[in-house]
Amino acid sequence: MKSKLKKIAVLTSGGDAPGMNAAIRAVVRSCAYHNVECVGVYRGYEGLIEGDFEILDARSVKNIINRGGTFLKSARSKEFMTKEGRQKAYDHLIREEIDALVTIGGDGTFRGAIVFNEEFDFPIVGIPGTIDNDINGTDFTIGYDTALNTVVEAIDKIRDTANSHNRLFLIEVMGRDAGDIALNAGIGAGAEEILIPEQDLGRDRLVESLKRSKKSGKSSSIVVVSEGGQIGKNIMGLADYIRQNLTEYECKVTVLGHIQRGGAPSCFDRVLASRLGVGAIDALLSGEKDIMIGVIHNKVTSVPFKKSLEGSNKIDQSLIRVADIISI
Ligand code: F6P
């Protein structure tokens, strides 16, 4: 699989996700293995525009597989959304004689990469790194599994208080417009109700269901609310509505926020990141470009970049059924 690839750049962009460091490490070491020079770009597309580059070798990425965040740092670049910004980025890549770019990030990162590729025909390979798991063409995104474990651990702790005080807790989790974190962490943490953007059943149904479960003998309740969707966007409003219509419980709200993005990556995320990092360099060496490397049915697979943005992975309806049955 030898090609003319001599030098590549790697960056992380958008919201950081646990496992991004492991992905950078895999890209850098894969380059070292294949005698390809690797340049790290700091602060995502911002660093590309400013030429904030550093040569990375196999030892530059020691002791980072276990660290959350991204040592290359990240940004949501407004300037890269402009033609002038992208031109500056391209000029830096050409000046540094870089043959291809590996971008690690989520849908915003990929959208930028697609436009950049269309304008300059510059080879790019994407690696899905976001806690949201909202990228099409991969079963899992890097960081999602760690975030799930963080959420479950937090809810387990909240459950202690919920139980001790006979309280109802509304717990808001991240995920942007995707309910994957809410649904899976909700099942894992034994939530009574899980509200996701993909299935807005309304506030009245929620109140009726909570009344029923109280009558059936439950003394406390956990409701996981995804930040997206109509209900999730106003969790305080939902809490007020519940307080007015359900007097059986004292209702409290916890917004988990950015703790969901931090912490050491799980083993699953480290392995996923390592496989996708190696897969990205393999793909470039084979002459592939303008693709995303994902994992489908446990096989590393490349998908056309544009496909990764064609709607996020659909919510698994069978999981919704499982959640309904086990919360009775
Ligand atoms: O995309 C990852 C994510 O954490 C989303 O779940 C969340 O909506 C968003 O980023 C928060 O972004 P920021 O850190 O810029 O506030």
PDB file of all heavy atoms in Angstrom, residues 8-42:
ATOM      1  N   ILE A   8       1.961  14.629   6.451  1.00  0.00           N
ATOM      2  CA  ILE A   8       0.546  14.919   6.719  1.00  0.00           C
ATOM      3  C   ILE A   8       0.436  15.830   7.945  1.00  0.00           C
ATOM      4  O   ILE A   8       1.368  15.951   8.732  1.00  0.00           O
ATOM      5  CB  ILE A   8      -0.284  13.631   6.947  1.00  0.00           C
ATOM      6  CG1 ILE A   8       0.133  12.935   8.263  1.00  0.00           C
ATOM      7  CG2 ILE A   8      -0.179  12.654   5.793  1.00  0.00           C
ATOM      8  CD1 ILE A   8      -0.976  12.804   9.233  1.00  0.00           C
ATOM      9  N   ALA A   9      -0.737  16.438   8.099  1.00  0.00           N
ATOM     10  CA  ALA A   9      -1.016  17.230   9.303  1.00  0.00           C
ATOM     11  C   ALA A   9      -2.218  16.619  10.002  1.00  0.00           C
ATOM     12  O   ALA A   9      -3.091  16.030   9.355  1.00  0.00           O
ATOM     13  CB  ALA A   9      -1.303  18.678   8.922  1.00  0.00           C
ATOM     14  N   VAL A  10      -2.243  16.751  11.329  1.00  0.00           N
ATOM     15  CA  VAL A  10      -3.380  16.246  12.106  1.00  0.00           C
ATOM     16  C   VAL A  10      -3.857  17.345  13.048  1.00  0.00           C
ATOM     17  O   VAL A  10      -3.054  18.096  13.603  1.00  0.00           O
ATOM     18  CB  VAL A  10      -2.999  14.945  12.883  1.00  0.00           C
ATOM     19  CG1 VAL A  10      -1.826  15.157  13.835  1.00  0.00           C
ATOM     20  CG2 VAL A  10      -4.201  14.380  13.637  1.00  0.00           C
ATOM     21  N   LEU A  11      -5.182  17.441  13.189  1.00  0.00           N
ATOM     22  CA  LEU A  11      -5.742  18.431  14.114  1.00  0.00           C
ATOM     23  C   LEU A  11      -6.995  17.891  14.784  1.00  0.00           C
ATOM     24  O   LEU A  11      -7.617  16.950  14.293  1.00  0.00           O
ATOM     25  CB  LEU A  11      -6.042  19.753  13.385  1.00  0.00           C
ATOM     26  CG  LEU A  11      -7.046  19.770  12.224  1.00  0.00           C
ATOM     27  CD1 LEU A  11      -8.501  19.803  12.707  1.00  0.00           C
ATOM     28  CD2 LEU A  11      -6.805  21.003  11.347  1.00  0.00           C
ATOM     29  N   THR A  12      -7.332  18.497  15.929  1.00  0.00           N
ATOM     30  CA  THR A  12      -8.604  18.204  16.598  1.00  0.00           C
ATOM     31  C   THR A  12      -9.430  19.481  16.604  1.00  0.00           C
ATOM     32  O   THR A  12      -8.884  20.571  16.812  1.00  0.00           O
ATOM     33  CB  THR A  12      -8.371  17.722  18.047  1.00  0.00           C
ATOM     34  OG1 THR A  12      -7.448  18.603  18.704  1.00  0.00           O
ATOM     35  CG2 THR A  12      -7.812  16.316  18.083  1.00  0.00           C
ATOM     36  N   SER A  13     -10.720  19.344  16.358  1.00  0.00           N
ATOM     37  CA  SER A  13     -11.553  20.547  16.210  1.00  0.00           C
ATOM     38  C   SER A  13     -12.932  20.303  16.825  1.00  0.00           C
ATOM     39  O   SER A  13     -13.358  19.157  17.001  1.00  0.00           O
ATOM     40  CB  SER A  13     -11.640  20.859  14.717  1.00  0.00           C
ATOM     41  OG  SER A  13     -12.719  21.698  14.425  1.00  0.00           O
ATOM     42  N   GLY A  14     -13.625  21.386  17.168  1.00  0.00           N
ATOM     43  CA  GLY A  14     -14.954  21.268  17.779  1.00  0.00           C
ATOM     44  C   GLY A  14     -14.839  20.900  19.251  1.00  0.00           C
ATOM     45  O   GLY A  14     -13.794  21.093  19.868  1.00  0.00           O
ATOM     46  N   GLY A  15     -15.914  20.364  19.813  1.00  0.00           N
ATOM     47  CA  GLY A  15     -15.897  19.985  21.230  1.00  0.00           C
ATOM     48  C   GLY A  15     -14.886  18.874  21.473  1.00  0.00           C
ATOM     49  O   GLY A  15     -14.820  17.919  20.711  1.00  0.00           O
ATOM     50  N   ASP A  16     -14.074  19.018  22.522  1.00  0.00           N
ATOM     51  CA  ASP A  16     -13.114  17.944  22.817  1.00  0.00           C
ATOM     52  C   ASP A  16     -13.872  16.691  23.250  1.00  0.00           C
ATOM     53  O   ASP A  16     -15.024  16.765  23.675  1.00  0.00           O
ATOM     54  CB  ASP A  16     -12.130  18.386  23.918  1.00  0.00           C
ATOM     55  CG  ASP A  16     -12.827  18.633  25.241  1.00  0.00           C
ATOM     56  OD1 ASP A  16     -13.863  19.318  25.241  1.00  0.00           O
ATOM     57  OD2 ASP A  16     -12.359  18.124  26.276  1.00  0.00           O
ATOM     58  N   ALA A  17     -13.216  15.543  23.114  1.00  0.00           N
ATOM     59  CA  ALA A  17     -13.849  14.279  23.515  1.00  0.00           C
ATOM     60  C   ALA A  17     -12.770  13.355  24.053  1.00  0.00           C
ATOM     61  O   ALA A  17     -11.658  13.320  23.502  1.00  0.00           O
ATOM     62  CB  ALA A  17     -14.548  13.640  22.312  1.00  0.00           C
ATOM     63  N   PRO A  18     -13.071  12.604  25.131  1.00  0.00           N
ATOM     64  CA  PRO A  18     -12.066  11.695  25.667  1.00  0.00           C
ATOM     65  C   PRO A  18     -11.689  10.645  24.618  1.00  0.00           C
ATOM     66  O   PRO A  18     -12.582  10.014  24.030  1.00  0.00           O
ATOM     67  CB  PRO A  18     -12.768  11.030  26.866  1.00  0.00           C
ATOM     68  CG  PRO A  18     -14.002  11.830  27.116  1.00  0.00           C
ATOM     69  CD  PRO A  18     -14.353  12.537  25.855  1.00  0.00           C
ATOM     70  N   GLY A  19     -10.421  10.490  24.381  1.00  0.00           N
ATOM     71  CA  GLY A  19      -9.962   9.544  23.353  1.00  0.00           C
ATOM     72  C   GLY A  19      -9.345  10.277  22.174  1.00  0.00           C
ATOM     73  O   GLY A  19      -8.696   9.669  21.318  1.00  0.00           O
ATOM     74  N   MET A  20      -9.524  11.604  22.120  1.00  0.00           N
ATOM     75  CA  MET A  20      -8.892  12.354  21.026  1.00  0.00           C
ATOM     76  C   MET A  20      -7.373  12.218  21.091  1.00  0.00           C
ATOM     77  O   MET A  20      -6.706  12.072  20.068  1.00  0.00           O
ATOM     78  CB  MET A  20      -9.296  13.834  21.076  1.00  0.00           C
ATOM     79  CG  MET A  20     -10.652  14.112  20.461  1.00  0.00           C
ATOM     80  SD  MET A  20     -11.020  15.869  20.466  1.00  0.00           S
ATOM     81  CE  MET A  20     -12.370  15.933  19.252  1.00  0.00           C
ATOM     82  N   ASN A  21      -6.817  12.256  22.321  1.00  0.00           N
ATOM     83  CA  ASN A  21      -5.360  12.095  22.444  1.00  0.00           C
ATOM     84  C   ASN A  21      -4.911  10.733  21.923  1.00  0.00           C
ATOM     85  O   ASN A  21      -3.880  10.622  21.262  1.00  0.00           O
ATOM     86  CB  ASN A  21      -4.932  12.246  23.915  1.00  0.00           C
ATOM     87  CG  ASN A  21      -4.780  13.701  24.313  1.00  0.00           C
ATOM     88  OD1 ASN A  21      -4.356  14.534  23.504  1.00  0.00           O
ATOM     89  ND2 ASN A  21      -5.114  14.014  25.551  1.00  0.00           N
ATOM     90  N   ALA A  22      -5.697   9.720  22.228  1.00  0.00           N
ATOM     91  CA  ALA A  22      -5.346   8.365  21.762  1.00  0.00           C
ATOM     92  C   ALA A  22      -5.397   8.302  20.231  1.00  0.00           C
ATOM     93  O   ALA A  22      -4.600   7.603  19.597  1.00  0.00           O
ATOM     94  CB  ALA A  22      -6.305   7.345  22.371  1.00  0.00           C
ATOM     95  N   ALA A  23      -6.316   9.058  19.639  1.00  0.00           N
ATOM     96  CA  ALA A  23      -6.419   9.071  18.170  1.00  0.00           C
ATOM     97  C   ALA A  23      -5.218   9.805  17.555  1.00  0.00           C
ATOM     98  O   ALA A  23      -4.629   9.337  16.570  1.00  0.00           O
ATOM     99  CB  ALA A  23      -7.726   9.741  17.738  1.00  0.00           C
ATOM    100  N   ILE A  24      -4.834  10.937  18.155  1.00  0.00           N
ATOM    101  CA  ILE A  24      -3.657  11.672  17.648  1.00  0.00           C
ATOM    102  C   ILE A  24      -2.430  10.756  17.739  1.00  0.00           C
ATOM    103  O   ILE A  24      -1.632  10.639  16.805  1.00  0.00           O
ATOM    104  CB  ILE A  24      -3.382  12.945  18.499  1.00  0.00           C
ATOM    105  CG1 ILE A  24      -4.569  13.899  18.473  1.00  0.00           C
ATOM    106  CG2 ILE A  24      -2.123  13.654  18.001  1.00  0.00           C
ATOM    107  CD1 ILE A  24      -4.511  14.982  19.555  1.00  0.00           C
ATOM    108  N   ARG A  25      -2.311  10.098  18.898  1.00  0.00           N
ATOM    109  CA  ARG A  25      -1.164   9.201  19.121  1.00  0.00           C
ATOM    110  C   ARG A  25      -1.089   8.116  18.036  1.00  0.00           C
ATOM    111  O   ARG A  25      -0.019   7.832  17.486  1.00  0.00           O
ATOM    112  CB  ARG A  25      -1.335   8.560  20.502  1.00  0.00           C
ATOM    113  CG  ARG A  25      -0.322   7.510  20.888  1.00  0.00           C
ATOM    114  CD  ARG A  25      -0.694   7.031  22.295  1.00  0.00           C
ATOM    115  NE  ARG A  25       0.214   6.035  22.830  1.00  0.00           N
ATOM    116  CZ  ARG A  25       0.016   4.729  22.719  1.00  0.00           C
ATOM    117  NH1 ARG A  25      -1.021   4.273  22.042  1.00  0.00           N
ATOM    118  NH2 ARG A  25       0.868   3.880  23.275  1.00  0.00           N
ATOM    119  N   ALA A  26      -2.262   7.561  17.702  1.00  0.00           N
ATOM    120  CA  ALA A  26      -2.277   6.491  16.695  1.00  0.00           C
ATOM    121  C   ALA A  26      -1.899   7.038  15.317  1.00  0.00           C
ATOM    122  O   ALA A  26      -1.179   6.386  14.550  1.00  0.00           O
ATOM    123  CB  ALA A  26      -3.668   5.848  16.653  1.00  0.00           C
ATOM    124  N   VAL A  27      -2.375   8.244  15.015  1.00  0.00           N
ATOM    125  CA  VAL A  27      -2.032   8.861  13.722  1.00  0.00           C
ATOM    126  C   VAL A  27      -0.520   9.102  13.653  1.00  0.00           C
ATOM    127  O   VAL A  27       0.144   8.749  12.674  1.00  0.00           O
ATOM    128  CB  VAL A  27      -2.814  10.192  13.535  1.00  0.00           C
ATOM    129  CG1 VAL A  27      -2.255  11.008  12.371  1.00  0.00           C
ATOM    130  CG2 VAL A  27      -4.304   9.918  13.329  1.00  0.00           C
ATOM    131  N   VAL A  28       0.020   9.704  14.730  1.00  0.00           N
ATOM    132  CA  VAL A  28       1.447  10.058  14.745  1.00  0.00           C
ATOM    133  C   VAL A  28       2.316   8.800  14.651  1.00  0.00           C
ATOM    134  O   VAL A  28       3.261   8.730  13.860  1.00  0.00           O
ATOM    135  CB  VAL A  28       1.782  10.859  16.032  1.00  0.00           C
ATOM    136  CG1 VAL A  28       3.286  11.061  16.175  1.00  0.00           C
ATOM    137  CG2 VAL A  28       1.060  12.204  16.022  1.00  0.00           C
ATOM    138  N   ARG A  29       1.965   7.791  15.427  1.00  0.00           N
ATOM    139  CA  ARG A  29       2.804   6.576  15.439  1.00  0.00           C
ATOM    140  C   ARG A  29       2.652   5.786  14.145  1.00  0.00           C
ATOM    141  O   ARG A  29       3.599   5.143  13.679  1.00  0.00           O
ATOM    142  CB  ARG A  29       2.476   5.734  16.669  1.00  0.00           C
ATOM    143  CG  ARG A  29       2.907   6.481  17.920  1.00  0.00           C
ATOM    144  CD  ARG A  29       3.211   5.628  19.090  1.00  0.00           C
ATOM    145  NE  ARG A  29       3.874   6.439  20.113  1.00  0.00           N
ATOM    146  CZ  ARG A  29       3.982   6.090  21.372  1.00  0.00           C
ATOM    147  NH1 ARG A  29       3.474   4.950  21.795  1.00  0.00           N
ATOM    148  NH2 ARG A  29       4.616   6.872  22.228  1.00  0.00           N
ATOM    149  N   SER A  30       1.486   5.854  13.566  1.00  0.00           N
ATOM    150  CA  SER A  30       1.282   5.182  12.283  1.00  0.00           C
ATOM    151  C   SER A  30       2.135   5.865  11.213  1.00  0.00           C
ATOM    152  O   SER A  30       2.733   5.198  10.356  1.00  0.00           O
ATOM    153  CB  SER A  30      -0.209   5.255  11.929  1.00  0.00           C
ATOM    154  OG  SER A  30      -0.505   4.368  10.934  1.00  0.00           O
ATOM    155  N   CYS A  31       2.207   7.184  11.292  1.00  0.00           N
ATOM    156  CA  CYS A  31       3.071   7.921  10.354  1.00  0.00           C
ATOM    157  C   CYS A  31       4.524   7.502  10.554  1.00  0.00           C
ATOM    158  O   CYS A  31       5.245   7.234   9.586  1.00  0.00           O
ATOM    159  CB  CYS A  31       2.937   9.432  10.583  1.00  0.00           C
ATOM    160  SG  CYS A  31       1.439  10.122   9.882  1.00  0.00           S
ATOM    161  N   ALA A  32       4.950   7.448  11.825  1.00  0.00           N
ATOM    162  CA  ALA A  32       6.342   7.061  12.111  1.00  0.00           C
ATOM    163  C   ALA A  32       6.615   5.656  11.548  1.00  0.00           C
ATOM    164  O   ALA A  32       7.667   5.411  10.944  1.00  0.00           O
ATOM    165  CB  ALA A  32       6.587   7.099  13.614  1.00  0.00           C
ATOM    166  N   TYR A  33       5.661   4.776  11.724  1.00  0.00           N
ATOM    167  CA  TYR A  33       5.810   3.383  11.257  1.00  0.00           C
ATOM    168  C   TYR A  33       6.005   3.317   9.738  1.00  0.00           C
ATOM    169  O   TYR A  33       6.764   2.524   9.221  1.00  0.00           O
ATOM    170  CB  TYR A  33       4.545   2.622  11.685  1.00  0.00           C
ATOM    171  CG  TYR A  33       4.504   1.163  11.311  1.00  0.00           C
ATOM    172  CD1 TYR A  33       5.091   0.205  12.141  1.00  0.00           C
ATOM    173  CD2 TYR A  33       3.871   0.738  10.143  1.00  0.00           C
ATOM    174  CE1 TYR A  33       5.047  -1.141  11.807  1.00  0.00           C
ATOM    175  CE2 TYR A  33       3.831  -0.604   9.801  1.00  0.00           C
ATOM    176  CZ  TYR A  33       4.415  -1.537  10.640  1.00  0.00           C
ATOM    177  OH  TYR A  33       4.372  -2.866  10.305  1.00  0.00           O
ATOM    178  N   HIS A  34       5.295   4.209   9.041  1.00  0.00           N
ATOM    179  CA  HIS A  34       5.330   4.191   7.568  1.00  0.00           C
ATOM    180  C   HIS A  34       6.299   5.238   6.986  1.00  0.00           C
ATOM    181  O   HIS A  34       6.254   5.514   5.785  1.00  0.00           O
ATOM    182  CB  HIS A  34       3.923   4.461   7.004  1.00  0.00           C
ATOM    183  CG  HIS A  34       2.953   3.354   7.269  1.00  0.00           C
ATOM    184  ND1 HIS A  34       3.020   2.135   6.636  1.00  0.00           N
ATOM    185  CD2 HIS A  34       1.890   3.276   8.108  1.00  0.00           C
ATOM    186  CE1 HIS A  34       2.028   1.351   7.069  1.00  0.00           C
ATOM    187  NE2 HIS A  34       1.329   2.024   7.964  1.00  0.00           N
ATOM    188  N   ASN A  35       7.117   5.843   7.860  1.00  0.00           N
ATOM    189  CA  ASN A  35       8.065   6.879   7.411  1.00  0.00           C
ATOM    190  C   ASN A  35       7.396   8.065   6.724  1.00  0.00           C
ATOM    191  O   ASN A  35       7.869   8.561   5.702  1.00  0.00           O
ATOM    192  CB  ASN A  35       9.127   6.292   6.471  1.00  0.00           C
ATOM    193  CG  ASN A  35      10.073   5.380   7.214  1.00  0.00           C
ATOM    194  OD1 ASN A  35      10.502   5.721   8.315  1.00  0.00           O
ATOM    195  ND2 ASN A  35      10.333   4.219   6.644  1.00  0.00           N
ATOM    196  N   VAL A  36       6.283   8.467   7.282  1.00  0.00           N
ATOM    197  CA  VAL A  36       5.600   9.675   6.790  1.00  0.00           C
ATOM    198  C   VAL A  36       5.795  10.745   7.869  1.00  0.00           C
ATOM    199  O   VAL A  36       5.643  10.464   9.062  1.00  0.00           O
ATOM    200  CB  VAL A  36       4.084   9.411   6.588  1.00  0.00           C
ATOM    201  CG1 VAL A  36       3.338  10.697   6.243  1.00  0.00           C
ATOM    202  CG2 VAL A  36       3.863   8.351   5.509  1.00  0.00           C
ATOM    203  N   GLU A  37       6.145  11.953   7.465  1.00  0.00           N
ATOM    204  CA  GLU A  37       6.324  13.014   8.455  1.00  0.00           C
ATOM    205  C   GLU A  37       4.951  13.485   8.952  1.00  0.00           C
ATOM    206  O   GLU A  37       4.005  13.569   8.162  1.00  0.00           O
ATOM    207  CB  GLU A  37       7.086  14.186   7.811  1.00  0.00           C
ATOM    208  CG  GLU A  37       7.809  15.012   8.838  1.00  0.00           C
ATOM    209  CD  GLU A  37       8.715  16.067   8.196  1.00  0.00           C
ATOM    210  OE1 GLU A  37       8.883  16.053   6.951  1.00  0.00           O
ATOM    211  OE2 GLU A  37       9.217  16.900   8.945  1.00  0.00           O
ATOM    212  N   CYS A  38       4.855  13.794  10.240  1.00  0.00           N
ATOM    213  CA  CYS A  38       3.551  14.198  10.800  1.00  0.00           C
ATOM    214  C   CYS A  38       3.671  15.547  11.509  1.00  0.00           C
ATOM    215  O   CYS A  38       4.563  15.753  12.335  1.00  0.00           O
ATOM    216  CB  CYS A  38       3.049  13.129  11.764  1.00  0.00           C
ATOM    217  SG  CYS A  38       1.394  13.469  12.366  1.00  0.00           S
ATOM    218  N   VAL A  39       2.763  16.430  11.175  1.00  0.00           N
ATOM    219  CA  VAL A  39       2.741  17.770  11.773  1.00  0.00           C
ATOM    220  C   VAL A  39       1.467  17.892  12.602  1.00  0.00           C
ATOM    221  O   VAL A  39       0.372  17.601  12.111  1.00  0.00           O
ATOM    222  CB  VAL A  39       2.716  18.836  10.643  1.00  0.00           C
ATOM    223  CG1 VAL A  39       2.499  20.228  11.221  1.00  0.00           C
ATOM    224  CG2 VAL A  39       3.991  18.787   9.830  1.00  0.00           C
ATOM    225  N   GLY A  40       1.609  18.319  13.855  1.00  0.00           N
ATOM    226  CA  GLY A  40       0.437  18.585  14.681  1.00  0.00           C
ATOM    227  C   GLY A  40       0.017  20.031  14.502  1.00  0.00           C
ATOM    228  O   GLY A  40       0.862  20.927  14.444  1.00  0.00           O
ATOM    229  N   VAL A  41      -1.284  20.262  14.378  1.00  0.00           N
ATOM    230  CA  VAL A  41      -1.802  21.626  14.229  1.00  0.00           C
ATOM    231  C   VAL A  41      -2.533  21.974  15.520  1.00  0.00           C
ATOM    232  O   VAL A  41      -3.420  21.229  15.953  1.00  0.00           O
ATOM    233  CB  VAL A  41      -2.792  21.713  13.041  1.00  0.00           C
ATOM    234  CG1 VAL A  41      -3.324  23.136  12.884  1.00  0.00           C
ATOM    235  CG2 VAL A  41      -2.155  21.210  11.762  1.00  0.00           C
ATOM    236  N   TYR A  42      -2.138  23.064  16.166  1.00  0.00           N
ATOM    237  CA  TYR A  42      -2.774  23.461  17.422  1.00  0.00           C
ATOM    238  C   TYR A  42      -4.081  24.229  17.176  1.00  0.00           C
ATOM    239  O   TYR A  42      -4.216  24.963  16.216  1.00  0.00           O
ATOM    240  CB  TYR A  42      -1.815  24.311  18.261  1.00  0.00           C
ATOM    241  CG  TYR A  42      -0.720  23.456  18.884  1.00  0.00           C
ATOM    242  CD1 TYR A  42       0.527  23.345  18.276  1.00  0.00           C
ATOM    243  CD2 TYR A  42      -0.976  22.730  20.043  1.00  0.00           C
ATOM    244  CE1 TYR A  42       1.517  22.541  18.834  1.00  0.00           C
ATOM    245  CE2 TYR A  42       0.003  21.916  20.594  1.00  0.00           C
ATOM    246  CZ  TYR A  42       1.244  21.816  19.992  1.00  0.00           C
ATOM    247  OH  TYR A  42       2.206  21.003  20.524  1.00  0.00           O
TER     248      TYR A  42
END
